[in-house]
Each structure stands twice: as structure tokens, then as C-alpha cells.
Amino acid sequence: MEQSYVDERESSSSFDVKRFLTKVGKNYGWCIAAVVLCMAAAYTWLRVTVPLYQVAAFIQVQPPNEAANILGGSPFSSTGNANARNYPDVNGEIFKLQSAALIGEVVDSLKLDIKITPKGKVQVNREAAIAGIARRLIVAPVPKGGMGMLQVVMRDEKPERAQQIVNVLIYKYDLANYIFKNKALRSEIAFLDNRLATVNEELNTQENYVRNFKASNKINDVSSSANQLLSSLTSIDSKKSDNDYKESLLKLIEANIQAAGGREERINVPGLQDVDLANLVAKYNDLVSQKSNILEQGAPKDLRLPPINVKLESTRVHIVNRIASIRQELATSNNFLASQERSTTGRFVTLPEKEKDYIQVNRLLNIKQSLYVFLLQKKEDKNIEFASSGISGSRIVDWGVNGVQDPKPSIVYAAAFLAGLLLPVMVILIRFLLNKRIETPADIYKTTTLPIAGEIALVSRLEQEMVMKKDNVSPVAEQFRTLRTNMLYVNKGASAKVVLITSGISGEGKSFISLNLANTLAISNRKVVLVEFDLRNPGLSASLGAANTTGIANFLAEETDVASIIQPVTEYENLFFISSGNPLPANPGEIILNNRMQLLFDTLKKEFDFIILDTPPIEAVSDALALGKWADCSFFVIRHKYSLRSSLVRMNRLYEDQKIPRPGLIVNGIKPGEGFNNVHGYGYGYGDMTRMKRKKNKDRTNLKIA
């Protein structure tokens, strides 16, 4: 019987989609049950889960640099890079808003770490409260909001509490930025306060000295010449004080730059009057702020750092060069003032001694007064700048309070529906991929090129072992008749007198096939003998009621002759049986190699048209292979959804090694609707007749052997 086969090498790695979908379709009941179960679980979960509401705030954040002076001018605000510094690092601001430190301040402010249990006990767990808010807090840039526009989203069981958390979070964020931005201003104000305290003390001392000098010398007035000289000296001293102040600022800048050592700090120097130097300092402070923001985000190897470091070094060099230029200008100014002072003091020669002394002490008083007024003006400027910096901060542009967000019933039910479909499908897929059993004809065609001689449908346990009877027209009986025809066709007309029937493992139905095939041949007026060569676990003897009778084992042990072990099956004409014998041999593998085997087969071939050999499974023992030399053809029984595909691989190897004669396959126990050619359920028009006969034969009867 010629068949077409698929090359195993070409299809072993392919996935049979049609077969998989067929399996899914056959298990649709499990899919429906899983969907119902998942939907019920989703409904229950939605009933017991507290819904979360989403509150969103859209805020415009400010850069973390020093705030621009709104009320008054600042020496640091007049820079050419002001616009660039007004753009915040959005990623850095998002990191700050989501930081555990900032959330912890919110928890402490709103007392969110306090929880009252159902029993009335108070529990405090700050870390759990911070982690809970962090999970429900989302900060992201607004795609169409422009630079610095962020969306702060908070989910909570109570929308009022969510809005309160967002409000406090933004307030704490602004406060942290405010403290950072005004660090330089606070340093400048503290510096001015210290200087004012010192100058004020010196001024008080000098005023007391002048008052005492006038009282002790009884000086109530001085001449106009003395007043003119005093006014000139006061102007010169004021300019010298201003130069000294500028020099102290330059030294302070140098000290800040030299103390950096790779860890740059902002230059906090108040009252720079040189525009170029102020621009350079502002640029330097801006670069330091950018570097600090990058390092705060935990990225010491960020690719943005090398160019910033280069710019910092370049700016530092320009600052040093500018300081040198300013010092040259101050030296020139001081030299000019010194010459003016010498010229003015030379005129003291013409004044009386008391007027000279008075001018000197009054001159020192004027110097202290001018310096005190100058420092007061600087401090007032910084106080105005400090007050104006508090005006700038994050601005809440819009609020949004949505309905139930988590969980959304539609999404939960959709997920439950998909899970209900996917779970059984995944189970079926895993079982499909791991399944190594023979289920479809394709499994056979991919593994072997041996012909399929017969396809036998599944027979229920209520039916008798002998389903092949002369008047039986059931589908299974017709399948055995087809097997009888194919047996001759498989052998292509060659002699097939001795037929060996075996299987891979126990339980595949080889004895059932042997019995019914033997009777199928006997019904066609052929004289047939069924030989039970399974000397280890015989089953046919009990089925035919021939247990504990003499048989093969007794003949090979020379306890009887061939004629004595041949038993006719009286219920079935032309059918004879030779049992395994009693007792069973201890060494069946050796006993079948007995020389009397030749005598046995010579005798049986003379008396019978067909000799059917029921042998043990080949994967358990090698008895079937030893009997192969006496057989004309052999049939390998495989059971649907029971036998492994590896059994066919072993059968191929035996066939290639010529250890079994002219093999063919018999597929047994086929369940209807599995794609086999001759098994499609109870069809062929025999269904009604078969069911009527099945009602008459409910009780199983043992066959009597004469």
C-alpha cells in the first residue's frame, strides 16, 4: 500500500497551527469556564477594592539658580547669558519632586505616617507612608507645555487628600529651592552685618574721641581754610576707602576660586561694581549650579560634565585676568589719591596747631561715617534683593480631578476576559509542545516511512476481546477486514504465511489485534493458528479460556509434541490457538532459540494457511527480534494518544538494520474525529445495526476451547 510521507527533517521544527487550533476548539469548554471564573474574580476584586482618584496639577517650575532681582538691581543679574539660565533642567526637577527626602517632609507635615488600626491602636510607620506616596506619585513633563511645565499626578482614595498632598509637595519643593537659591544672598547679608557691627563700634569710638577733643581744647569752630582742607581730605579718604573695599572683594573672589580644589563653590561676593567681572562671576556661578545639578542626580560620569569643567576652567582664568586688570586700575587710582593727599596736607603748615589736630581727628570720623553709610546702602540693596527672590517660585497653572482611575472596571474586565482565554490556551500550548505521543497521521508521516496497514477504532471496555465475528458489520469489524486486505497488499503479493505482531511497549493492544486479525483471516475460509509467544506476560490464554494449558513452553522443553499443543477455538471456525504453556519458562529469551523451533514452524506451515505470532513488546525484551527470522512479515502496533513517537524511530532503526521482515504499522485505539482515513466515528451506514447488537451482547462471555 503506497502512501505519501513528509520528510521528518523538513517538518520537525514546524509548528502545526491547524492541529493546535483544533485542540483549542475541542477544549472550548475549559476556555468558557476559565473566562467565567476570571470574570467572577474580577467582579469580586472590584467590589472589595477601594477605588483611587487621580488629582493632577500643572506647574511652571523655576530654575534652581539665584533668583533674578525683581524689585531692584543686582550686580549679578546683568549677564549676557541670562536667558539661557532661565531654562530649568526638567529631569533634575522631576527627580527632586519624586525624591524620598521631599516626600518625607510631606508625610511629616500632614502626619500621614500615623495609622489607626480597627482595634483603636495607633501605628507610626514613616517609611511605609513614604513608599506608598512614591508609588502613587507621578511627575512628568507636559509635551505641549513648553520648557519647565510639569504635570504632578497623585492617586488616592480621597481626592481632597490627594490635592492636599500635591499642594504641600509643591510648597516644600519651592521652599527647598528658595533656600538653595538665596544661599548666596544670606552669605552676603551676613558678611555686611559683620562689617557694619565692626565699623559701628569704630565709629562710636571715634565720635567719642572727637567730642572729648573739642571739649578739652575748647574748639567750637574752625576757619574756612580748615573746613576746605577737611572737606578735600574727606573726599580723598572716601575714594581710598572705596578702593580698599574693592581690593577686599577681589581678595575674597581669589580665595573662593583657590579654595575650590576640584569641588567648585559659588562665589558669594557682595557689591561688585565692575560690570565685566560681575558678568564673569555670574557665568562662573551658573556653571557651578549646572554641575551641582548633574552631580545631585547621581551621575558622576555624565557626558555633560567634561564640557562644563572646561568652561569652568576657562572662566576661572578670565576672572583671574580681570582681577589683575582691576588691581592695576586701583593702583593707579591710589597713587593719584596719595599725591592729592600730600598736596592737601602740605597746606596744614599755615594752620594753627589745634586746628591741625582737629582736622586729623575729624577726618578719621568722616572716614568711618562714609564707610558706615556705604555698608548700610549695600545691606539695604541685598535686603531688597532677598525680599524680591521670594516672589518667584513654581506657579500652579491648572488643576484636574478625574473620576475613578484605579481600578478601571472596563480595563479590569477586559484583562480578566483575556486572562480567561489565555490561561487555558497557554496550558494547551504547553501540553501541545511537550506532548511526544502519536495523535495524528502527521505524527506518523513525519517520523517513519513505514506503511500503515490498518486503522482500528477505539473499542470500549464493555465490548468483548473478539470483535471480529462472521455476522458483525460494525465499523471496527470492517476495519479488520480492511486490514486483512491491506496485509496482502503491503507484502506486494509475496508469501505472508507467518505474520509477527509486536508493539513498542505494553498496553498498545497487540494481543487484541492478533486475536481479531487471526479470526478475520479464519472467516475468509483460511485455516489460521494464533501462537502466543509472549512467554513473560501472556494475555491471550486468559481471554480465550486456555489458561494453565500446555503450549509453546512445554513443546520447547520437549514435554509434548506439536499436535498436542494445537487447540481449536470451537466458537470460531478455522481458528486454532497455541498458548504460552504451563508453567512459564524462567529463561524465555533463551528457550525460543531452541532447535525445536524449526520443527514447530515446519509443522505449522504444512497444516495452516496463516500463522499469527503474538510477541512481547520490542522495547522491553528482544524476543520479537529473535522470532523475526521465522516470520514472512511483521506488524508494529501503535496505540493512538498512548504510544510515543520515539517507538517509531526505534522501528525505523530495526527496519534499516533488517532485523524484522517487511514491517507495517497498525494504528489501534483511534478516537473518532482525529483525522485518520478509516476512522470517522460510527458511520458507513452501520451505526443503527451496531447499536442494536451491542444491546444484546452486554455480558462478556469467555470463549470455550475444545
Side-chain angles (χ1 to χ4, degrees):
M1 182 172 61
E2 298 294 337
Q3 296 188 27
S4 299
Y5 301 99
V6 180
D7 189 351
E8 181 184 2
R9 293 172 298 179
E10 296 178 357
S11 58
S12 59
S13 60
S14 61
F15 182 79
D16 195 340
V17 178
K18 182 179 179 181
R19 179 180 165 192
F20 172 70
L21 294 178
T22 302
K23 279 187 171 292
V24 174
K26 290 182 178 179
N27 292 275
Y28 72 93
W30 287 105
C31 296
I32 295 175
V35 169
V36 173
L37 182 62
C38 290
M39 295 293 282
Y43 173 78
T44 304
W45 186 68
L46 288 172
R47 290 293 298 267
V48 301
T49 302
V50 179
L52 296 179
Y53 295 88
Q54 178 173 295
V55 173
F58 298 89
I59 63 173
Q60 180 73 48
V61 299
Q62 295 294 332
N65 301 323
E66 186 178 1
N69 191 356
I70 298 175
L71 297 180
S74 170
F76 299 100
S77 62
S78 57
T79 66
N81 198 28
N83 292 333
R85 294 193 295 119
N86 285 333
Y87 292 108
D89 183 358
V90 175
N91 293 329
E93 303 311 301
I94 291 175
F95 178 82
K96 294 176 185 177
L97 284 165
Q98 292 179 321
S99 64
L102 194 62
I103 295 176
E105 294 183 15
V106 176
V107 170
D108 296 337
S109 178
L110 298 177
K111 305 298 182 184
L112 298 177
D113 54 339
I114 299 176
K115 181 180 180 182
I116 300 177
T117 64
K119 296 183 179 181
K121 296 182 179 180
V122 177
Q123 294 181 348
V124 179
N125 192 335
R126 186 173 184 271
E127 298 300 326
I130 293 174
I133 293 179
R135 286 194 301 268
R136 297 180 178 183
L137 178 67
I138 301 174
V139 182
V142 181
K144 297 182 180 180
M147 294 294 294
M149 183 67 71
L150 297 179
Q151 181 183 21
V152 182
V153 179
M154 181 66 196
R155 295 179 300 157
D156 195 78
E157 293 85 354
K158 299 179 180 180
E160 298 83 5
R161 184 169 61 187
Q163 187 170 3
Q164 190 177 18
I165 291 173
V166 173
N167 273 325
V168 176
L169 179 71
I170 295 174
Y171 170 76
K172 294 294 183 181
Y173 164 77
D174 287 338
L175 181 60
N177 279 345
Y178 176 76
I179 294 173
F180 173 78
K181 289 187 294 184
N182 295 291
K183 181 179 178 181
L185 284 174
R186 291 197 305 273
S187 298
E188 294 173 12
I189 293 174
F191 170 79
L192 292 172
D193 286 337
N194 292 332
R195 289 290 297 153
L196 278 171
T198 302
V199 173
N200 184 50
E201 184 178 352
E202 294 175 352
L203 180 60
N204 290 333
T205 302
Q206 188 64 28
E207 285 177 345
N208 292 332
Y209 181 78
V210 171
R211 184 175 59 253
N212 295 334
F213 180 84
K214 291 175 69 176
S216 60
N217 292 281
K218 298 179 181 181
I219 297 176
N220 296 321
D221 195 10
V222 293
S223 63
S224 59
S225 299
N227 286 329
Q228 184 179 3
L229 290 174
L230 182 61
S231 176
S232 299
L233 289 173
T234 300
S235 177
I236 292 172
D237 290 336
S238 177
K239 292 180 180 180
K240 288 178 65 177
S241 297
D242 187 46
N243 288 344
D244 291 339
Y245 180 74
K246 291 179 180 179
E247 178 63 28
S248 65
L249 294 181
L250 296 179
K251 291 180 179 179
L252 186 58
I253 293 174
E254 288 181 331
N256 286 348
I257 292 179
Q258 293 172 359
R263 299 181 61 183
E264 292 83 3
E265 297 288 343
R266 289 173 58 88
I267 300 175
N268 300 319
V269 178
L272 284 178
Q273 298 177 3
D274 185 81
V275 176
D276 293 336
L277 183 58
N279 290 340
L280 290 173
V281 170
K283 181 179 179 181
Y284 182 86
N285 290 339
D286 182 54
L287 293 171
V288 170
S289 297
Q290 294 180 27
K291 184 175 180 179
S292 298
N293 290 336
I294 295 173
L295 294 177
E296 283 179 3
Q297 299 174 18
K301 296 183 179 179
D302 196 294
L303 296 178
R304 294 174 292 177
L305 286 177
I308 291 178
N309 290 331
V310 172
K311 291 180 181 179
L312 278 171
E313 184 61 30
S314 176
T315 306
R316 187 183 294 111
V317 172
H318 284 94
I319 290 175
V320 172
N321 293 336
R322 185 55 191 163
I323 289 175
S325 299
I326 294 174
R327 277 209 174 99
Q328 291 179 357
E329 296 174 3
L330 291 177
T332 303
S333 177
N334 288 332
N335 291 334
F336 175 75
L337 292 175
S339 64
Q340 291 293 321
E341 185 178 16
R342 287 192 300 270
S343 174
T344 304
T345 54
R347 296 167 60 188
F348 271 92
V349 178
T350 61
L351 294 176
E353 289 297 326
K354 289 184 179 182
E355 289 188 1
K356 292 179 182 179
D357 295 337
Y358 176 74
I359 290 174
Q360 290 292 344
V361 296
N362 203 36
R363 174 189 176 190
L364 293 176
L365 177 61
N366 290 335
I367 292 174
K368 299 299 181 182
Q369 289 175 343
S370 299
L371 181 58
Y372 187 77
V373 172
F374 175 77
L375 292 175
L376 281 177
Q377 291 175 348
K378 292 299 179 184
K379 182 181 177 181
E380 189 64 21
D381 289 342
K382 294 304 171 185
N383 285 332
I384 294 174
E385 188 176 350
F386 185 78
S388 66
S389 66
I391 298 175
S392 61
S394 300
R395 183 169 64 94
I396 298 179
V397 179
D398 193 13
W399 280 97
V401 180
N402 297 333
V404 179
Q405 292 293 316
D406 187 16
K408 290 185 178 179
S410 58
I411 295 179
V412 173
Y413 283 126
F417 181 79
L418 291 177
L421 286 178
L422 292 178
L423 284 177
V425 171
M426 291 301 297
V427 172
I428 294 172
L429 177 61
I430 293 173
R431 294 184 61 183
F432 180 78
L433 296 176
L434 296 179
N435 184 21
K436 303 300 181 183
R437 301 186 184 277
I438 298 173
E439 293 191 349
T440 63
D443 293 335
I444 301 174
Y445 301 152
K446 293 176 182 178
T447 312
T448 183
T449 58
L450 297 177
I452 299 177
E455 299 174 355
I456 309 301
L458 178 66
V459 177
S460 66
R461 294 181 179 180
L462 297 177
E463 296 186 82
Q464 299 179 2
E465 289 287 341
M466 180 68 79
V467 298
M468 186 58 206
K469 299 179 181 179
K470 190 171 184 179
D471 58 346
N472 191 351
V473 292
S474 68
V476 177
E478 290 300 318
Q479 290 160 8
F480 273 105
R481 291 186 176 94
T482 303
L483 173 60
R484 178 183 61 191
T485 303
N486 290 342
M487 185 183 74
L488 301 176
Y489 187 74
V490 167
N491 290 279
K492 300 179 180 179
S495 173
K497 196 162 190 157
V498 182
V499 181
L500 183 147
I501 301 196
T502 186
S503 64
I505 57 176
S506 178
E508 293 177 309
K510 61 177 181 57
S511 298
F512 170 76
I513 297 295
S514 300
L515 175 61
N516 285 274
L517 177 60
N519 197 38
T520 302
L521 294 170
I523 290 174
S524 62
N525 295 322
R526 311 281 180 87
K527 192 175 181 182
V528 182
V529 59
L530 176 60
V531 185
E532 187 178 34
F533 263 108
D534 192 345
L535 305 181
R536 302 171 188 270
N537 187 24
L540 286 175
S541 298
S543 300
L544 296 175
N548 301 323
T549 59
T550 58
I552 294 295
N554 305 101
F555 171 75
L556 296 178
E558 300 183 3
E559 297 175 358
T560 183
D561 57 6
V562 177
S564 300
I565 62 175
I566 300 175
Q567 308 174 59
V569 182
T570 57
E571 188 173 346
Y572 302 105
E573 186 180 1
N574 297 326
L575 181 61
F576 296 82
F577 178 66
I578 300 177
S579 70
S580 58
N582 184 45
L584 294 176
N587 55 343
E590 286 75 20
I591 198 172
I592 60 176
L593 300 177
N594 194 297
N595 293 330
R596 289 174 63 85
M597 289 287 290
Q598 185 65 49
L599 175 61
L600 173 66
F601 280 100
D602 288 343
T603 304
L604 294 178
K605 287 181 180 180
K606 291 179 181 178
E607 297 186 12
F608 295 96
D609 296 319
F610 289 99
I611 304 168
I612 308 299
L613 307 181
D614 179 36
T615 64
I618 61 173
E619 293 189 12
V621 292
S622 60
D623 296 4
L625 301 181
L627 292 168
K629 67 178 182 178
W630 308 106
D632 298 321
C633 67
S634 57
F635 290 108
F636 189 74
V637 179
I638 56 177
R639 181 178 170 184
H640 183 223
K641 292 187 177 181
Y642 181 83
S643 301
L644 299 176
R645 292 194 288 271
S646 58
S647 297
L648 295 177
V649 176
R650 177 174 173 80
M651 193 67 184
N652 289 338
R653 192 178 303 114
L654 294 175
Y655 174 63
E656 292 172 358
D657 296 341
Q658 297 182 351
K659 292 184 178 180
I660 52 176
R662 294 202 297 270
L665 299 177
I666 299 176
V667 186
N668 183 36
I670 302 174
K671 296 180 180 179
E674 297 293 340
F676 285 87
N677 295 329
N678 297 325
V679 181
H680 300 281
Y682 292 101
Y684 303 103
Y686 301 120
D688 296 336
M689 187 180 298
T690 302
R691 284 191 289 272
M692 292 175 61
K693 291 187 177 182
R694 190 176 298 164
K695 292 180 181 179
K696 297 179 181 179
N697 297 317
K698 289 184 178 179
D699 298 329
R700 181 174 181 176
T701 58
N702 291 331
L703 304 179
K704 302 299 181 180
I705 300 178

